[in-house]
Amino acid sequence: MPERIAATFAAPRVGIVGGLGSMGRWFHRVFEAAGFPVEVADRGTDLSNVQLVRRTDIVIIAVPIGVTSAVTTELLPHLGPDHLLVDLTSVKTPIAELL
């Protein structure tokens, strides 16, 4: 599959906020195996959430539900019209109001 992506278009850069957690690591492996460049921001990484948004095209929020609203609020001002935002939380009520 990576050859197919490269032959068709330049793969968008994927950023995973919370990329060191269980879900974040899983999605990192999936996108990387499909040929997408992946960046990770998490507690303890040098890359901040805002820096990640500025460097990527697809932003995946894979953080615990208790901090999802705060992380989303932090990221929203930095997202452009061409960004794709993906939220992996199971409960959408808090984040739906923000979006």
Side-chain angles (χ1 to χ4, degrees):
M1 179 131 164
E3 296 80 23
R4 182 175 176 190
I5 288 173
T8 309
F9 62 92
R13 297 190 67 77
V14 176
I16 305 173
V17 178
L20 298 180
S22 297
M23 289 294 286
R25 286 193 321 267
W26 188 86
F27 276 94
H28 185 169
R29 287 191 305 270
V30 167
F31 279 101
E32 201 167 63
F36 291 87
V38 180
E39 304 250 1
V40 169
D42 206 323
R43 289 177 280 175
T45 63
D46 290 335
L47 188 64
S48 74
N49 295 345
V50 172
Q51 289 170 322
L52 178 132
V53 169
R54 291 180 180 153
R55 293 169 56 157
T56 59
D57 307 296
I58 300 170
V59 178
I60 299 173
I61 300 175
V63 298
I65 195 156
V67 295
T68 301
S69 292
V71 169
T72 303
T73 299
E74 174 190 15
L75 299 181
L76 286 176
H78 305 282
L79 293 167
D82 294 332
H83 274 104
L84 172 63
L85 179 64
V86 179
D87 161 48
L88 299 180
T89 58
S90 58
V91 179
K92 300 296 184 202
T93 305
I95 197 160
E97 294 174 12
L98 290 171
L99 299 176

